[in-house]
Amino acid sequence: MSLKNKLSRMKKHLIREEDAEDKKSQPPILEQESADLPFLDLWKQNGATVYDIDGDFCLVREKRYPIDHQHGDYTFRDFISAVDAWQDFAGVHPLSSKGHTHEQMFFFDTETTGLGGGVGNTIFLLGHGRVTETEVIVTQHFLPQPGSEIPLYHSFLSHVDYNTLVTYNGKAFDWPQVKTRHTLIKEHVPQLPAFGHFDLYHGSRRLFKHRLESVKLINVERKILGFNRVDDVPGYLAPMIYFDYIERKDPEGIFKVMTHNELDILSLITLYTHLTFQLLNAHKKATDQERFEVGRWLEYTGNREIAKERYQEIIREDDRTNYEAMHLLALQYKKDKEEWKAIELWERLWKEAPISIRKVALLELAKLYEHKTKNFQLALEKCEQLESLLIETEEANSQKHEVFIGKLHHRKSRLTRKLNKNTDHPS
């Protein structure tokens, strides 16, 4: 049966976690000498070598790409430019590689026997990539049989000298899995290095969730990075393909999984480049919404002045539709004691923006007119305008509506008292 037909059948019988546990509970296969590895010639043709330690072994495959290789919208040389660009960044950000070189970045991805966590989940493929001045080197460590984790992790950890881990949801899945499996054999393999960690999944959620129904890496590749896979094996089939390999020893399907893992690693390099160019304002084709999300991310990470500049740029280029940017910029002005600039923006917003922003703008204006400019009459007018807007748009019987209306009435009463006091005691 061809691999294509086999994969089609596998899709109809997706193995769940409990099924995978049944497989793992079967007696382990007999260990064999690496020289007797079935299909050894095929492994060698696919760039793999045997890593032997104390009579046990794993397989290590290496693939190299020239630095000018195009992966999606970027070449790998663009990644070097991205790391260089961070060196001039004045702020602090979770994706900043300031202080690191491009060769210290360690792009990492795994394939496992199950889709969940826990001790019962085994990593059967450890893949990582690094970028030199001339090429990208992708290295993969493959577990040829369940009992050979010592050579697998020994081959991996004996050559890891990187400072920064770059993953896609690796904080929640890949690296905790590595630590769990390492605990079981830590007496026989090198220690785990203490990595810094850049998880690109969280950046993708922040910048692209408004464009994508799902921020799975393959969707980000297609819609954001300009990369489309051809004949790719879906990640959820990897456990089934591995169990099939354990039974038959034919690596045809495993080579497909390795290619899938390899593309994941290459896409991490491209995605880090793209996110960096977005964050550092070096991406010329960014949408207004993406630039706005970048500003919010920068503000959230404490880079208020840089975020403020981004909002100002967005508004200068198109001040008719970027109401969210105008509102966040007004809040920045308010924090920076530039109240009149904030008032100018909110006065526009309450007349032009969508209702959700108009309500907030009117409330902010009422606060500023009452407490900063002491124009109680204007503050009262804004409260009345807000009250009218709330009556038109809110559900009258909602608890949130009632609480807000109560606070608004309290503000109006206070302003009325202040106005009457000024009338009774004119200056």
Side-chain angles (χ1 to χ4, degrees):
M1 180 183 294
S2 70
L3 176 64
K4 184 175 182 179
N5 290 336
K6 185 179 290 291
L7 293 178
S8 296
R9 290 183 59 187
M10 286 178 175
K11 289 182 181 179
K12 298 177 183 178
H13 303 283
L14 178 60
I15 295 177
R16 305 298 178 185
E17 282 299 303
E18 58 268 25
D19 299 323
E21 289 297 328
D22 290 341
K23 287 269 188 180
K24 291 192 283 287
S25 65
Q26 295 174 357
I29 62 171
L30 295 176
E31 293 186 6
Q32 54 193 336
E33 295 296 326
S34 59
D36 297 327
L37 176 68
F39 302 99
L40 182 58
D41 288 342
L42 278 180
W43 281 106
K44 290 181 177 179
Q45 289 173 22
N46 278 271
T49 58
V50 174
Y51 186 92
D52 191 291
I53 178 170
D54 296 331
D56 202 356
F57 71 99
C58 70
L59 291 153
V60 181
R61 175 179 179 261
E62 191 172 88
K63 186 77 174 289
R64 295 171 181 257
Y65 290 84
I67 196 66
D68 291 314
H69 178 82
Q70 189 93 17
H71 187 82
D73 293 335
Y74 300 91
T75 68
F76 296 133
R77 190 181 297 277
D78 292 325
F79 166 73
I80 297 178
S81 300
V83 175
D84 289 343
W86 278 115
Q87 308 311 310
D88 297 323
F89 183 63
V92 177
H93 194 273
L95 292 191
S96 171
S97 52
K98 188 171 185 176
H100 297 289
T101 68
H102 60 270
E103 293 192 353
Q104 292 174 319
M105 306 290 278
F106 180 56
F107 296 87
F108 181 71
D109 188 47
T110 66
E111 305 297 334
T112 66
T113 58
L115 303 179
V119 176
N121 193 16
T122 299
I123 296 173
F124 67 84
L125 185 63
L126 291 156
H128 54 93
R130 66 186 180 95
V131 183
T132 73
E133 290 291 334
T134 59
E135 60 185 351
V136 170
I137 305 170
V138 177
T139 306
Q140 295 168 305
H141 309 258
F142 176 71
L143 182 70
Q145 53 194 20
S148 298
E149 285 188 284
I150 290 177
L152 178 76
Y153 285 92
H154 195 281
S155 68
F156 170 58
L157 295 172
S158 294
H159 299 90
V160 173
D161 57 357
Y162 312 108
N163 296 321
T164 305
L165 194 68
V166 186
T167 67
Y168 202 77
N169 203 30
K171 282 187 176 180
F173 185 77
D174 296 86
W175 200 245
Q177 284 295 305
V178 170
K179 290 196 288 188
T180 297
R181 302 309 302 182
H182 181 268
T183 300
L184 304 176
I185 55 173
K186 61 183 179 181
E187 302 299 327
H188 308 283
V189 297
Q191 291 183 348
L192 289 178
F195 283 115
H197 199 142
F198 295 158
D199 194 328
L200 306 187
Y201 170 77
H202 304 290
S204 294
R205 275 186 54 82
R206 281 189 170 274
L207 298 195
F208 312 132
K209 63 182 179 181
H210 67 283
R211 292 179 56 182
L212 306 177
E213 291 184 6
S214 166
V215 290
K216 288 182 179 179
L217 184 58
I218 192 168
N219 293 335
V220 174
E221 288 175 344
R222 291 171 182 164
K223 302 294 185 179
I224 306 297
L225 304 179
F227 179 71
N228 291 286
R229 303 191 185 206
V230 178
D231 247 359
D232 182 51
V233 170
Y236 67 83
L237 288 181
M240 288 179 265
I241 294 173
Y242 180 67
F243 290 129
D244 178 71
Y245 169 81
I246 293 301
E247 290 180 4
R248 300 190 305 114
K249 296 302 179 185
D250 186 340
E252 181 186 9
I254 291 298
F255 295 150
K256 291 278 190 179
V257 174
M258 285 183 154
T259 298
H260 172 87
N261 177 264
E262 177 186 320
L263 293 178
D264 282 352
I265 292 166
L266 298 180
S267 290
L268 288 178
I269 300 173
T270 295
L271 179 55
Y272 184 84
T273 303
H274 182 78
L275 290 172
T276 293
F277 286 173
Q278 291 271 23
L279 285 162
L280 301 184
N281 216 20
H283 191 272
K284 304 305 179 185
K285 296 181 181 179
T287 66
D288 286 345
Q289 185 66 29
E290 285 170 345
R291 295 170 65 194
F292 169 71
E293 296 297 342
V294 164
R296 287 212 304 179
W297 196 7
L298 288 166
E299 183 177 358
Y300 176 79
T301 52
N303 302 285
R304 287 186 59 249
E305 286 304 314
I306 303 175
K308 188 175 176 181
E309 292 173 5
R310 299 298 173 82
Y311 297 145
Q312 290 169 334
E313 289 173 6
I314 294 172
I315 294 169
R316 277 199 301 269
E317 293 179 10
D318 183 359
D319 64 356
R320 295 169 296 173
T321 59
N322 291 287
Y323 298 121
E324 289 180 294
M326 291 174 67
H327 172 58
L328 291 184
L329 180 58
L331 287 174
Q332 292 274 34
Y333 285 143
K334 179 182 176 182
K335 291 177 182 177
D336 294 339
K337 310 300 182 184
E338 299 179 89
E339 288 88 359
W340 283 110
K341 289 184 179 180
I343 287 172
E344 182 182 359
L345 287 177
W346 277 320
E347 282 286 2
R348 289 186 53 193
L349 284 172
W350 89 261
K351 299 173 185 176
E352 303 174 5
I355 289 176
S356 59
I357 296 180
R358 288 169 62 191
K359 290 186 292 187
V360 178
L362 283 168
L363 181 59
E364 291 293 342
L365 285 169
K367 293 177 182 178
L368 285 179
Y369 285 138
E370 178 182 2
H371 300 296
K372 296 300 179 181
T373 69
K374 306 300 182 182
N375 191 330
F376 303 136
Q377 185 60 49
L378 264 179
L380 184 59
E381 288 177 12
K382 298 307 172 189
C383 288
E384 291 170 346
Q385 290 165 341
L386 176 56
E387 187 175 29
S388 299
L389 198 60
L390 286 171
I391 292 173
E392 294 174 8
T393 60
E394 296 286 348
E395 295 182 10
N397 59 352
S398 72
Q399 183 178 2
K400 183 178 180 181
H401 171 81
E402 293 299 328
V403 170
F404 194 90
I405 285 291
K407 291 182 178 179
L408 187 58
H409 285 167
H410 179 74
R411 183 180 296 275
K412 286 177 62 179
S413 298
R414 184 174 68 244
L415 287 166
T416 300
R417 289 196 301 271
K418 289 182 178 180
L419 281 170
N420 290 336
K421 183 179 180 180
N422 285 353
T423 302
D424 295 338
H425 303 283
S427 56

